[in-house]
Amino acid sequence: MKNILIIGAGRSASACINYCLENAAERGWFVTVADSDPEQAEKRINNHPNGRSAWLDVNKQNDRMDLISRHDIVVSLLPAHLHLLVATDCIKYKKHLVTASYVSKEMYRLGDEARDASLIFMGEMGLDPGIDHMSAMKLLNDIRAKGGEITNFRSYTGGLIAPESDTNPWHYKFTWNPRNVVLAGQGTAQYMEDGKYKYTPYSRLFKEYVTIDVPGMGKYEAYANRDSLLYREIYGVEGIPNIIRGTLRCQGFCDAWNALVQIGLTDGSYPIHDADKITYHEWMNAYLPRGTGSVKERMAAFLGEEIDSDVMDKLEWLGLFRKIKINVANATPALILEHLLLSKWSLSPGDKDMIIMQHEIDYQLDGKEYHVVSSMVMKGEDENDTAMARLVGLPMGIFVKLIIDGKITTTGVNIPVMSEVYEPVLEELEKYGVVFKESEVLVEA
Amino acid sequence: MKNILIIGAGRSASACINYCLENAAERGWFVTVADSDPEQAEKRINNHPNGRSAWLDVNKQNDRMDLISRHDIVVSLLPAHLHLLVATDCIKYKKHLVTASYVSKEMYRLGDEARDASLIFMGEMGLDPGIDHMSAMKLLNDIRAKGGEITNFRSYTGGLIAPESDTNPWHYKFTWNPRNVVLAGQGTAQYMEDGKYKYTPYSRLFKEYVTIDVPGMGKYEAYANRDSLLYREIYGVEGIPNIIRGTLRCQGFCDAWNALVQIGLTDGSYPIHDADKITYHEWMNAYLPRGTGSVKERMAAFLGEEIDSDVMDKLEWLGLFRKIKINVANATPALILEHLLLSKWSLSPGDKDMIIMQHEIDYQLDGKEYHVVSSMVMKGEDENDTAMARLVGLPMGIFVKLIIDGKITTTGVNIPVMSEVYEPVLEELEKYGVVFKESEVLVEA
């Protein structure tokens, strides 16, 4: 078993591909990188003797099945909704599968079939989800091993821009899929607070952020990330009164993003009329009730902001009130926003991104209460070699190695919460600078 | 051609069924009423010699096709998403089809097939959509016939409770499908104002209502109804600077309904945990940020309302702050709300409902500007014989008669905007009390 197929050669694929190629040389693996853009795949391989590229339109069933049948392990870096196609083929041809995406209900339904065929289908094997699960489980299990009882679990991750490359008033740049950034949070966030279920609809998700302190880094805003309740059972903390997973942003981001949500700019469900003809100024006007004053003034009034507030400054900086053509035909609000943000939030040459992950755990031991904060901060090298790409890609690469080395006994559809996975993966990640700093305080009982 | 199949025997079916049965006796028609509840169908037939009931699970293809194949005209009163099943069979067996629902894109795609087979597929043949289209088209075409140029078109309809039966602080009771009332407006409303496209996302639809005056009735609130732009071409008013279709509610309704939307109670996309165990009080708490004070106090603060405001009174009256069990397992917020509202907003014996429809049209003729208001108010008899059931059902019944009498030449998938349809239907509806009062004023040029 030494033939690895990596499907997808986009920006976030490089770290995973490089890891596999580096190991391929000394271990005799062969790595195929398949993409709908064969030149891109070729570029990632970069003439490595153990690598080759393949052209793949993943919707072409025969091509896909042929390619998968000729490998032992498949790493799918495709958009999440396409993993199921690949997974079905993996069942058919008995291949292991690794992804960094949230495991869907449909994927979990393949669990029995995968287990029956002794296959390893590992999802959520990236950064968030991925390293967050692994580092959290290590913390939780270490506390449980010494007899502690977990009472609160809060975990936050943010893909941010490093302070030295922070050059805009949003304090944010794209370091992963822009479309996912625009659509982030749609649905209803669920978590548990003081023993009660909590629901935060999208329309107020970015209003109800909390501010957390990251040791040595300062304050960040955190908004609730999807359904945190799903992880109660998986983490083994069913009865816990507080559990929340959150996404980190720099201070000031959430209020301004909330303004975009309230206006309606993150909606991807219908096209804007004449989007190729109108200006941003006209587009904003289309959302505003009749009234007097400039579009900017009416927008400020609608949002309940002063005309020179930080939120209005951020909207102004985006150019939303400028009489410049949008120039995107048949586009939804979300797509127009994505195009606009791409022109504003792209990494410049030399820009360093930054990942922050922080777990905050309370536990009781021998009648005393402890509060643990475990934080990891990692910066990228430049606009291509980002911390995001590394931390999404390396866990998958390391996990592929563990499969090939026969170190993984867990079969079926899983996420990385078992020690046979997280111990070796976290250990190897440390060599790449993924180091958590832990501080524990005794809380007065 | 005299065999009529009416699928669906629910509350809104009675007027259509009665109309068909009344005509059946003198014209020798046969009317089959099919429903998944055969007793209900039997009850609607009420031993009429020209009627018979049939048991039909519409998802059973063979039963459905068998029944459709043995009739000449099909009236589908099914939930909107099921019409397509029936329509496909109607194409196959060459039967005409009538519904009161919005015509979906999928339904429109059957247009060529229906036309090739000389079939009449008429949708939006109820009240709203239905009588609104017909009465609007009559007004518009009458103005155009005398040379007038339409400049503004606004049309409002409300299914309300008559003032004499208005016994609750919401001034509203259910007179049609409660689920549709709870989910009403989800998506983004689109219309045109002063020559500009306007978009109102659901999250502020009930905030941005307008107040309109109905002659002799007083003031009502109107919120934008779906995509009004769809009707520009159909109504022949492509270049019109103002077009909006709206839904009417009594004053005070929209602000309070907006509160339910803002809390998150109209969301039908995810289940509430332990919905069979918790109280309404606990449920409300689940949406509120941490804080001090009672759930009601924190809710008022969250909504930006005084504790004794009209909005808070309406929420209180619903029992949202009471420590009473919800008692609905695995329910979404929307379903819990629907259950609660059913216990509060159902018609009592003797209750009269009330339909209000009002068109407001501006036009120019010979250099002068005119403003026309055309209004229709109709009350029901009691909680069973509602104006809603009559005005949804009668147009379909009358249209069936027109088909049988060979008066309809238009084939394919349509909505009732052609004079061969609206003239005779509106004329006959007048006998049932559907009378529009028109007033026209000359606006100073």
Side-chain angles (χ1 to χ4, degrees), chain A residues 198-199 204 263 285 288, chain B residues 198-199 204 263 273 285 288:
Chain A
K198 288 283 169 178
Y199 306 93
R204 42 204 183 82
I263 301 168
N285 191 41
L288 289 171
Chain B
K198 288 285 168 176
Y199 306 92
R204 44 204 181 84
I263 302 167
H273 290 267
N285 191 41
L288 290 170

Side-chain angles (χ1 to χ4, degrees), chain B residues 87-163:
Chain B
T88 311
D89 298 344
C90 285
I91 294 275
K92 183 174 169 122
Y93 293 106
K94 302 205 185 306
K95 310 299 180 185
H96 303 300
L97 174 64
V98 185
T99 87
S101 303
Y102 281 100
V103 177
S104 65
K105 276 181 196 154
E106 293 72 27
M107 186 69 87
Y108 271 121
R109 280 194 207 112
L110 296 177
D112 287 345
E113 277 188 87
R115 203 176 307 107
D116 290 349
S118 300
L119 293 177
I120 302 161
F121 276 25
M122 185 61 75
E124 311 195 10
M125 192 67 202
L127 164 64
D128 171 13
I131 295 177
D132 58 344
H133 294 325
M134 292 188 277
S135 52
M137 284 311 293
K138 186 169 158 54
L139 263 175
L140 293 171
N141 283 342
D142 286 355
I143 292 167
R144 286 190 278 235
K146 61 183 177 190
E149 196 196 337
I150 316 291
T151 52
N152 295 314
F153 176 83
R154 299 183 181 88
S155 174
Y156 308 101
T157 307
L160 306 162
I161 187 77

Side-chain angles (χ1 to χ4, degrees), chain A residues 154 187-188 190-191 193-194 196-201 203-204 207-208 227 229 232 242 261-264 267 269-274 278 282-283 285-290 298 302, chain B residues 154 187-188 190-191 193-194 196-201 203-204 207-208 227 229 232 242 261-264 267 269-274 278 282-283 285-290 298 302:
Chain A
R154 300 182 181 89
T188 295
Q190 302 187 33
Y191 55 100
E193 189 180 82
D194 302 338
K196 309 280 185 194
Y197 290 110
K198 288 283 169 178
Y199 306 93
T200 308
S203 60
R204 42 204 183 82
K207 236 177 281 189
E208 299 186 2
D227 185 357
L229 304 172
R232 286 184 299 170
N242 285 286
V261 172
Q262 297 309 318
I263 301 168
D267 192 327
S269 69
Y270 67 96
I272 291 293
H273 291 267
D274 296 338
I278 62 172
E282 289 173 291
W283 185 38
N285 191 41
Y287 291 104
L288 289 171
R290 244 199 211 100
R298 286 188 290 131
F302 161 70
Chain B
R154 299 183 181 88
T188 295
Q190 302 187 33
Y191 56 99
E193 190 180 81
D194 303 338
K196 307 281 186 194
Y197 290 111
K198 288 285 168 176
Y199 306 92
T200 309
S203 62
R204 44 204 181 84
K207 236 177 278 187
E208 299 186 3
D227 185 358
L229 304 172
R232 286 184 300 169
N242 285 285
V261 172
Q262 297 310 318
I263 302 167
D267 191 327
S269 69
Y270 67 96
I272 292 292
H273 290 267
D274 295 340
I278 62 170
E282 288 173 292
W283 185 36
N285 191 41
Y287 290 104
L288 290 170
R290 246 199 208 103
R298 284 187 292 132
F302 162 69

Side-chain angles (χ1 to χ4, degrees), chain B residues 93-383:
Chain B
Y93 293 106
K94 302 205 185 306
K95 310 299 180 185
H96 303 300
L97 174 64
V98 185
T99 87
S101 303
Y102 281 100
V103 177
S104 65
K105 276 181 196 154
E106 293 72 27
M107 186 69 87
Y108 271 121
R109 280 194 207 112
L110 296 177
D112 287 345
E113 277 188 87
R115 203 176 307 107
D116 290 349
S118 300
L119 293 177
I120 302 161
F121 276 25
M122 185 61 75
E124 311 195 10
M125 192 67 202
L127 164 64
D128 171 13
I131 295 177
D132 58 344
H133 294 325
M134 292 188 277
S135 52
M137 284 311 293
K138 186 169 158 54
L139 263 175
L140 293 171
N141 283 342
D142 286 355
I143 292 167
R144 286 190 278 235
K146 61 183 177 190
E149 196 196 337
I150 316 291
T151 52
N152 295 314
F153 176 83
R154 299 183 181 88
S155 174
Y156 308 101
T157 307
L160 306 162
I161 187 77
E164 59 267 40
S165 302
D166 176 358
T167 55
N168 76 52
W170 287 77
H171 312 301
Y172 188 80
K173 294 183 184 179
F174 284 130
T175 60
W176 63 299
N177 188 326
R179 178 156 186 81
N180 289 355
V181 173
V182 170
L183 300 180
Q186 299 196 0
T188 295
Q190 302 187 33
Y191 56 99
M192 193 142 236
E193 190 180 81
D194 303 338
K196 307 281 186 194
Y197 290 111
K198 288 285 168 176
Y199 306 92
T200 309
Y202 180 62
S203 62
R204 44 204 181 84
L205 183 65
F206 293 94
K207 236 177 278 187
E208 299 186 3
Y209 58 88
V210 296
T211 302
I212 72 154
D213 193 68
V214 180
M217 297 301 299
K219 292 190 191 308
Y220 290 84
E221 296 174 354
Y223 65 88
N225 179 9
R226 298 168 170 240
D227 185 358
S228 300
L229 304 172
L230 292 175
Y231 297 95
R232 286 184 300 169
E233 196 183 332
I234 296 170
Y235 286 3
V237 289
E238 285 89 342
I240 197 167
N242 285 285
I243 181 167
I244 187 163
R245 298 170 76 242
T247 298
L248 296 177
R249 290 289 178 261
C250 286
Q251 287 195 293
F253 182 93
C254 287
D255 283 334
W257 190 263
N258 180 52
L260 302 182
V261 172
Q262 297 310 318
I263 302 167
L265 306 192
T266 59
D267 191 327
S269 69
Y270 67 96
I272 292 292
H273 290 267
D274 295 340
D276 52 341
K277 296 188 194 120
I278 62 170
T279 65
Y280 289 99
H281 186 267
E282 288 173 292
W283 185 36
M284 289 307 99
N285 191 41
Y287 290 104
L288 290 170
R290 246 199 208 103
T292 55
S294 70
V295 165
K296 188 179 168 186
E297 283 164 354
R298 284 187 292 132
M299 184 63 82
F302 162 69
L303 294 170
E305 296 281 340
E306 296 296 323
I307 192 86
D308 59 351
S309 73
D310 288 352
V311 166
M312 289 303 293
D313 283 353
K314 290 187 181 70
L315 303 189
E316 173 90 58
W317 180 84
L318 286 180
L320 288 173
F321 308 117
R322 296 183 69 182
K323 292 180 179 170
I324 289 177
K325 283 204 175 171
I326 291 174
N327 248 331
V328 197
N330 291 318
T332 66
L335 189 62
I336 296 174
L337 180 62
E338 182 187 334
H339 274 258
L340 176 62
L341 294 176
L342 271 171
S343 72
K344 299 282 177 179
W345 281 359
S346 289
L347 295 174
S348 298
D351 268 355
K352 291 182 198 300
D353 73 328
M354 178 173 69
I355 305 291
I356 295 182
M357 185 176 288
Q358 178 157 306
H359 306 298
E360 300 180 9
I361 298 179
D362 297 326
Y363 70 94
Q364 293 174 342
L365 180 63
D366 300 332
K368 286 175 187 146
E369 203 160 294
Y370 298 88
H371 181 66
V372 184
V373 175
S374 175
S375 318
M376 187 270 291
V377 179
M378 189 177 172
K379 291 182 187 176
E381 276 302 300
D382 57 38
E383 81 281 12

Side-chain angles (χ1 to χ4, degrees), chain B residues 361-432:
Chain B
I361 298 179
D362 297 326
Y363 70 94
Q364 293 174 342
L365 180 63
D366 300 332
K368 286 175 187 146
E369 203 160 294
Y370 298 88
H371 181 66
V372 184
V373 175
S374 175
S375 318
M376 187 270 291
V377 179
M378 189 177 172
K379 291 182 187 176
E381 276 302 300
D382 57 38
E383 81 281 12
N384 293 312
D385 186 3
T386 60
M388 179 62 84
R390 283 198 225 161
L391 296 198
V392 171
L394 284 172
M396 287 188 283
I398 296 167
F399 187 69
V400 164
K401 189 171 73 178
L402 292 171
I403 297 177
I404 296 179
D405 288 353
K407 299 282 174 60
I408 305 300
T409 63
T410 311
T411 56
V413 174
N414 285 287
I415 70 170
V417 291
M418 50 292 287
S419 60
E420 69 167 14
V421 176
Y422 68 71
E423 290 284 3
V425 173
L426 290 174
E427 193 186 321
E428 185 158 348
L429 280 173
E430 279 199 15
K431 296 180 198 155
Y432 290 88

